[in-house]
């Protein structure tokens, strides 16, 4: 055994039964929940924690702790039971008694941030596996930088059949196998049961062969034979590939009449079956009551973890990497970044390049990556199109994790979830690129990052019909609205190279909010030509061009359409109409400004929104009688300038509409 | 050989080179596009069409034609070149000359409906494979109903490395292997190249082992050895499993200096390289010019297809299944459905059950499935929660396709894409269920269905915080807005069992618009208690409760919040305030009503929107000073009634807000 040499089998059985009892009692009390998975996987989890896991409940953020991810998040009671047994101070028995109740830390699915020892939010199936891949990758990247003394831990995942059926699991498994993430161990809860019935209703895949095909080390064990499970974990740790251990289990193990059937998957057992289970498990204690020997045994795990953490702290104090390591645990240095970005913006304002904002993003990244040591870039196989790689960024390759650029492959969903995992692990600030239209593929993970408050940065180029010939499948029209709809997500659509750099700065320093940077394929002029030191994008929207006298109309635009709004203002000026132009790079930030500021930006004159996308989401700017120039349906395949003309997103149309609104208002 | 006994190798080489020449010339003319895949797969495609495919360009909708899906949609010129060579009358040489130009049928990616012979829209990777699974399944289901005489065709797919890296491919492959879809043959364009460089940058998967693990028949050939390709297709057809043929190819085959590198993937070759390729391929013809012998040879394929179609027509005329078969090709009989739904609604209005709309949906399905013979239901492993199965619906099982209920497994994305494929194939009307929150997983395919105009029905239950304890990962708050943002998609959120049945009727009879039915987990009272024969949901929104005198306020709600709006109106009446209640089950349909109708519904009095979701998307109903009672962020885990109280979505809050708006307006 790796961590302990002598195991008392009878005691370890009782340790596992404690999980089972707490799970069935809590689900019963809640009158809802999933007892099947915690009861089925109690033996595996007990072996894992009792013989291997290193966590310290008194310092749940200890960077070198092992990570445990319950990808089958509906089995949340497994996590809560274990965390109670380990003695986390925020997981007392009342939390378990109030499973799934208002205000309890014990939500229906494990929610990151609700309680210590929950490494990530799970529930939407497949997310946990993929987030864990990010954690296991971050561990190796940390190890490559700071050595075994500081980064030498494991990531363990429990996944069910559902996790393995979801498409994202394929992306995760492929990527982990390719990158040889040997510190990742996945337990497949092979219980043969899904909600609709037996897994044979919908799958015939040989999961072991599937994982082997992706380059994994694969074993199969009886998930109730604890020594076999332990031996498999030993073998998994000895292999340099990621490991999958197929654990044949009985769902709801211990409930004598219901175990092994889908009745036990997602419903309380009922008083009668619980009584029968208590008898079958030889567990004579009252609900939510634990015997002393079991508490002591679980407490020993925590003590072992505390000792490991103390040893690690000693190593850290003596380490040459101490300062760099500690710096990497925090969010980026906002002061240093401000200075670098301000100097960059001043240069842009002076040189006034005409570049696509995806190119401007690359220019900003040269500054960012030179300033911040722990950014980690990447792309879903669109590096040259997303412009996500700065000079000198080396690729992370199988077995060599010193680089800071990840080839995520054509796996948008995994990229987003892996970035969540890297950020949750700590030590790195991840960003990754794809086309904006493919936010549809990664949306599940983007949302989960927003829900958890994990500040990853999604770089999404080719952000409108402006991408041209690739046509409507690739042209976002509703994606801005759909992303703006997600709570706690900042969606940036910068107008030029200055705003692009500003967006990077805001995104990198946001403590608990992920960001999406929507960037153009096509060239755009520099519109922020005054040399001002202020990050004006922080306001979300601001007056880019004011009027000498009271304005007649306000033109509000984002991204590539700011140029059009400015040209429309020029046209209107020729007709002695005073049009102010507002640039709106981030709706979410504008919504947080006070009423006075917002009114000062928007004023009372007629307003026109200009964005090569649908109107939905513009209601904070536009009143019913205001105008909008944008899209009402899908795009088309043609060169970009022709598309803008075809869909009527032009300075002339904006000017025309402005005149008719002013006329109508008189 | 299956279709032809004698092949002239030299001529077949020229047939393949015709594809190559057209691809490189069209991309060059467009100054953008992807020559690599069409040139690399020209041999495989030529063998497939020359020796196997049965299509009739004079009747592109012939139901028993073989289907060809270019899942690697960026290689669209392969499709356009072939369709030109086959003589489709809408694909003349000018279309190829205008590749990727405004108004041409030859869009950057193949767009369903833009030209004959394009079976589905592809471009977002992995969609083509999965849609093809739906087609292959529909073929077997048709065969099970109407026999070999009428349904006896094949579905062929070309997929690239990108398609196989996407998660959705896993879902597709698993499902196809499980269901033993032996009529599906997938060619993997194994060229070792992606946009970022060699595939070894990001994947190490043994694709052949992976497909074998999922129950596929697997072969590997040199993709430029045409006889080997033909033999592999023969063997694939002889096996009763779906087949994957790994075709080792050289990307951009024929371009002597660029082939085999990622330079040839997605950019024009340039005049010099094209000249060199013409020489290397011994293709001395001018751009967009084809020699007679090649045209004749491709024309023979079309003639063979026309003969096959004629033979089939003869069989159809003599078939006992003729009437049923022809009926199945059309959209459902609107008249019969109207009568059945009207009778059902009258019954509901009289019995006034208090049921969840997911249960109401099951009740409606009992009527629908009894009335329409060709509906095909299913669920992503949530049958009992989605209530998608009506009495007597038998499961489709591996090898037995007589059933009408599909266990899609925990594969939301595949379910949506497979439904697109079933609908595109024809003969069936597919619907499938999952939780609304998981629309995030299936969004890529939902959007593609909307873009294509394929009228599938997505049943999405557990549509708000009303699902309760499962918590924020499972509680939609932004999903309604995000789905309403997709063009050409109807999002229904019915308030009771009557509106639920009406939504089904509208969705089933929509010719070119997919629908999402958002349904409650929790019970709701019947609110449409008058026995009216009109489908009022067709208006999108309507006055559910009017006021005896001029209204003081209008309460607009959808789904489960209509009950709250009605209760608020009762509270207000006690204070002598006249509140009209508008039920708004479908925003998209309301937007298509004329201004007079809409104004008549909404009136000038203050308005309050009530929906347990974010406000975004409500701007067609609400003016800046109007009110909204709903969500502003993520939900929480607790019993539903507590959540409604916690988030302030109650009749009391609505009534309070109404009073303050009326007061403020005075």
């Amino acid at each position: 055994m790796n961590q302990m040499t002598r195991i008392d089998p009878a005691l370890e059985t009782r340790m596992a039964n404690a999980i089972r009892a707490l799970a069935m009692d809590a689900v019963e009390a809640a009158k809802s929940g999933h007892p099947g998975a915690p009861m089925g996987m109690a033996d595996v989890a007990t072996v894992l924690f009792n013989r291997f896991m290193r966590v310290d409940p008194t310092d749940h953020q200890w960077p070198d702790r092992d990570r445990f991810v319950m990808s089958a998040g509906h089995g949340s009671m497994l996590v809560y039971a274990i965390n109670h047994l380990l003695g986390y101070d925020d997981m007392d028995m009342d939390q378990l008694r109030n499973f799934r109740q208002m205000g309890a830390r014990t939500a229906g699915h494990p929610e990151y941030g609700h309680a210590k020892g929950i490494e990530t939010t799970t529930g939407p199936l497949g997310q946990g596996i993929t987030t864990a891949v990010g954690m296991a990758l971050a561990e190796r990247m940390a190890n490559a930088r700071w050595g075994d003394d500081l980064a030498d831990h494991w990531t363990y995942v429990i996944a069910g059949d559902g996790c393995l059926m979801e498409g994202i699991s394929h992306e995760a498994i492929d990527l982990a196998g390719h990158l040889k993430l040997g510190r990742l161990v996945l337990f497949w809860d092979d219980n043969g049961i899904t909600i609709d019935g037996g897994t044979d209703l919908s799958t015939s895949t040989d999961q072991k062969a599937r994982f082997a095909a992706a380059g994994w080390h694969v074993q199969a064990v009886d998930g109730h034979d604890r020594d076999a499970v332990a031996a498999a974990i030993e073998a998994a740790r000895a292999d340099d590939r990621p490991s999958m251990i197929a654990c044949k289990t009985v769902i709801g193990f211990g409930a004598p009449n219901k175990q092994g059937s889908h009745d036990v998957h997602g419903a309380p057992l009922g008083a009668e079956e619980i009584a029968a289970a208590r008898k079958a498990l030889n567990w004579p204690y009252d609900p939510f009551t634990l015997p002393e020997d079991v508490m002591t045994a679980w407490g020993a795990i925590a003590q072992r973890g505390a000792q490991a953490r103390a040893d690690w702290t000693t190593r850290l104090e003596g380490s040459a990497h101490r300062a760099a390591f500690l710096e990497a645990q925090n969010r980026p240095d906002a002061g240093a970044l401000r200075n670098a970005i301000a100097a960059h913006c001043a240069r842009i304002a002076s040189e006034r390049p005409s570049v696509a904002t995806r190119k401007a993003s690359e220019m900003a990244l040269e500054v960012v990556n030179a300033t911040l040591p722990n950014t980690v870039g990447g792309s879903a196989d669109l590096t040259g199109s997303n412009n996500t790689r700065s000079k000198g960024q080396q690729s992370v390759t199988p077995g060599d994790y010193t680089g800071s650029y990840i080839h995520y492959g054509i796996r948008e969903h995994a990229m987003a979830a892996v970035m969540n995992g890297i950020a949750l692990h700590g030590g790195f600030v991840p960003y990754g690129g794809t086309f904006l239209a493919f936010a549809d593929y990664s949306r599940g993970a983007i949302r989960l990052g927003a829900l958890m408050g994990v500040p990853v940065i999604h770089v999404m180029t080719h952000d409108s019909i402006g991408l041209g010939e690739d046509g409507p499948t690739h042209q976002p029209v509703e994606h801005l609205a759909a992303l703006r709809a997600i709570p706690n997500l900042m969606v940036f659509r910068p107008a030029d190279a200055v705003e692009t750099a500003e967006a990077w700065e805001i995104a990198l320093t946001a403590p608990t909010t992920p960001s999406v940077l929507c960037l153009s394929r096509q060239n755009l002029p520099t519109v922020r030509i005054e040399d001002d030191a202020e990050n004006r994008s922080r306001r979300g929207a601001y007056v880019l061009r004011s009027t000498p006298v009271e304005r007649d109309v306000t033109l509000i635009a984002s991204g590539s359409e700011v140029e059009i709004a400015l040209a429309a203002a020029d046209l209107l000026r020729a007709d002695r109409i005073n049009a102010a132009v507002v640039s709106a790079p981030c709706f979410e930030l504008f919504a947080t400004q006070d009423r006075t500021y917002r009114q000062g930006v928007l004023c009372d004159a007629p307003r026109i929104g200009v964005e090569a996308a649908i109107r939905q989401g513009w209601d904070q700017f536009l009143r019913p009688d205001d105008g909008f120039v944008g899209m009402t349906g899908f795009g088309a395949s043609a060169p970009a300038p022709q598309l803008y003309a075809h869909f009527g997103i032009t300075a002339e149309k904006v000017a025309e509409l402005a005149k008719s609104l002013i006329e109508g208002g008189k």
Side-chain angles (χ1 to χ4, degrees), chain A:
Chain A
M1 297 302 131
N2 183 282
Q3 305 289 347
M4 304 186 69
T5 45
R6 283 173 35 172
I7 299 295
D8 175 347
L11 180 58
E12 208 179 43
T13 298
R14 289 165 58 73
M15 291 172 75
N17 285 341
I19 296 174
R20 293 192 171 97
L22 291 173
M24 64 186 186
D25 289 342
V27 171
E28 191 68 16
K31 298 188 188 63
S32 81
H34 299 74
M39 296 178 77
M41 286 300 281
D43 289 312
V44 171
T46 299
V47 171
L48 174 64
F49 276 84
N50 196 30
R51 309 195 199 184
F52 297 93
M53 279 290 288
R54 282 184 320 187
V55 290
D56 180 3
T58 67
D59 182 2
H60 69 285
Q61 294 186 311
W62 170 35
D64 201 29
R65 71 192 181 279
D66 291 338
R67 267 63 168 183
F68 173 68
V69 173
M70 184 67 184
S71 190
H74 50 276
S76 56
M77 265 312 300
L78 181 83
V79 179
Y80 304 143
I82 288 172
N83 288 357
H84 172 78
L85 289 160
L86 289 172
Y88 281 90
D89 62 6
D90 62 349
M91 193 53 70
D92 59 31
M93 199 61 96
D94 277 348
Q95 291 293 333
L96 305 194
R97 283 197 190 92
N98 284 300
F99 179 49
R100 296 182 146 233
Q101 303 309 302
M102 181 68 78
R105 295 194 177 88
T106 46
H109 294 81
E111 301 286 343
Y112 174 75
H114 283 215
K116 299 172 182 175
I118 298 172
E119 298 287 359
T120 183
T121 295
T122 51
L125 294 173
Q127 296 290 336
I129 296 176
T130 320
T131 307
V133 169
M135 294 175 180
L137 175 57
E139 191 273 346
R140 282 296 89 183
M141 292 173 62
N143 179 275
R145 283 155 180 75
W146 304 304
D148 287 343
D149 274 357
L150 302 189
D152 179 28
H153 53 271
W154 295 81
T155 302
Y156 300 100
V157 187
I158 290 180
D161 293 296
C163 289
L164 299 192
M165 279 199 231
E166 290 289 359
I168 190 174
S169 71
H170 168 60
E171 303 184 12
I173 291 165
D174 255 20
L175 187 61
H178 173 70
L179 289 175
K180 294 197 187 306
L181 300 180
R183 291 298 180 116
L184 179 65
V185 179
L186 183 149
F187 302 95
W188 168 33
D189 181 10
D190 179 14
N191 58 34
I193 295 293
T194 68
I195 293 176
D196 272 10
T199 48
D200 57 357
L201 275 177
S202 57
T203 185
S204 308
T205 285
D206 179 341
Q207 293 288 359
K208 296 191 284 291
R210 173 195 175 201
F211 276 80
W216 286 55
H217 172 244
V218 175
Q219 301 171 84
V221 296
D222 174 347
H224 302 296
D225 178 343
R226 289 197 307 273
D227 285 343
V229 171
I233 297 174
E234 288 284 1
R237 290 165 55 119
D239 196 282
D240 67 353
R241 293 167 291 177
S243 276
M244 190 275 259
I245 304 175
C247 304
K248 183 66 82 179
T249 63
V250 176
I251 192 169
F253 184 96
N257 307 302
K258 292 191 169 181
Q259 67 182 19
S261 85
H262 69 124
D263 295 339
V264 82
H265 170 89
L269 297 179
E272 196 175 329
E273 181 71 359
I274 287 177
R278 282 198 141 71
K279 204 162 173 183
L281 295 169
N282 190 22
W283 191 261
Y285 315 104
D286 287 341
F288 302 111
T289 304
L290 294 165
E292 197 60 33
D293 62 331
V294 166
M295 289 299 287
T296 304
W298 277 97
I301 300 171
Q303 284 166 22
R304 187 184 70 214
Q307 185 57 53
R309 201 256 304 165
D311 296 345
W312 176 88
T313 305
T314 306
R315 293 197 300 275
L316 176 67
E317 293 308 318
S319 171
H321 298 298
R322 183 178 175 281
F325 182 89
L326 292 177
E327 189 196 340
Q329 306 308 309
N330 302 319
R331 290 298 298 164
D333 179 342
L337 191 60
R338 176 80 287 255
N339 292 338
I341 294 286
H344 173 71
C345 288
R347 209 160 44 239
I348 297 287
S350 142
E351 294 173 5
R352 303 181 185 180
S354 177
V355 292
T357 47
R358 62 178 171 143
K359 178 69 185 169
S361 173
E362 183 184 297
M363 292 156 62
L365 277 172
E366 295 294 349
V367 174
V368 165
N369 290 339
T371 306
L372 307 178
N374 298 309
T375 49
V376 176
S379 166
D381 195 49
L382 289 167
T383 296
S385 298
N386 299 146
N387 299 70
T388 33
R389 187 171 194 151
S390 65
K391 288 187 192 71
Q393 267 189 318
Q394 297 299 312
S395 297
V396 170
T397 61
D400 180 356
Y401 310 96
T402 51
S404 62
Y405 194 83
I406 300 169
H407 292 280
Y408 286 103
I410 299 145
R411 306 182 182 102
E412 298 81 9
H413 202 175
M415 177 170 69
V418 166
M419 289 201 292
N420 286 343
I422 293 172
L424 287 165
H425 178 278
F428 302 98
V429 180
Y431 68 85
T434 185
F435 289 163
L436 178 57
F438 302 144
D440 283 350
Y441 276 32
S442 52
R443 192 171 174 88
I446 294 173
R447 180 184 207 249
L448 211 57
L451 177 59
M452 291 191 280
V454 179
V456 307
I457 302 172
H458 306 274
V459 179
M460 297 197 156
T461 70
H462 296 59
D463 72 347
S464 75
I465 54 165
L467 66 85
E469 292 89 341
D470 274 342
T473 56
H474 284 51
Q475 289 164 357
V477 295
E478 78 280 22
H479 298 75
L480 290 168
L483 289 168
R484 286 171 183 150
I486 298 177
N488 193 39
L489 180 70
M490 289 189 288
V491 179
F492 292 95
R493 193 163 184 258
D496 70 357
V498 171
E499 283 192 2
T500 303
E502 290 176 340
W504 269 107
E505 183 191 2
I506 299 165
L508 285 162
T509 52
T512 56
T513 306
S515 298
V516 181
L517 273 55
C518 304
L519 305 171
S520 76
R521 176 184 185 230
Q522 71 274 33
N523 285 349
L524 302 175
T526 301
V527 296
R528 279 278 293 285
I529 50 179
E530 76 289 16
D531 178 4
D532 60 350
E534 189 198 344
N535 184 330
R536 303 182 75 186
S537 298
R538 278 202 191 283
R539 295 289 207 160
Y542 61 91
V543 179
L544 176 66
R545 183 188 291 180
S546 53
T547 50
V549 294
E550 201 183 348
R551 59 176 88 165
D552 300 310
V553 63
T554 302
L555 310 179
I556 311 159
S558 83
S560 44
E561 285 69 70
V562 172
E563 174 186 13
I564 291 171
L566 288 167
D570 289 341
L571 290 176
L572 290 165
R573 188 159 47 191
D575 287 336
R576 295 172 190 274
I577 294 170
N578 288 299
V581 175
V582 170
S583 181
C586 182
F587 287 20
E588 295 79 19
L589 287 173
F590 187 66
T592 68
Q593 305 303 310
D594 64 42
R595 200 183 177 87
T596 310
Y597 176 80
R598 285 185 284 139
Q599 178 59 22
V601 169
L602 298 177
C603 296
D604 288 329
R607 303 170 193 163
I608 297 175
V610 192
E611 186 168 70
I614 62 167
R615 179 169 173 157
Q616 184 182 310
W618 272 81
D619 37 327
Q620 72 165 302
F621 295 105
L622 303 179
R623 300 154 299 188
D625 292 335
D626 289 330
F628 182 74
V629 173
M631 299 289 291
T632 56
F634 295 109
S637 172
Q642 290 178 36
L643 289 172
Y644 271 88
H646 175 76
F647 289 109
I649 306 173
T650 62
E652 290 72 23
K653 290 279 181 189
V654 174
E656 234 172 71
L657 181 57
K659 285 183 213 167
S660 83
L661 288 181
I662 294 166
E663 198 57 42
K666 275 177 186 166

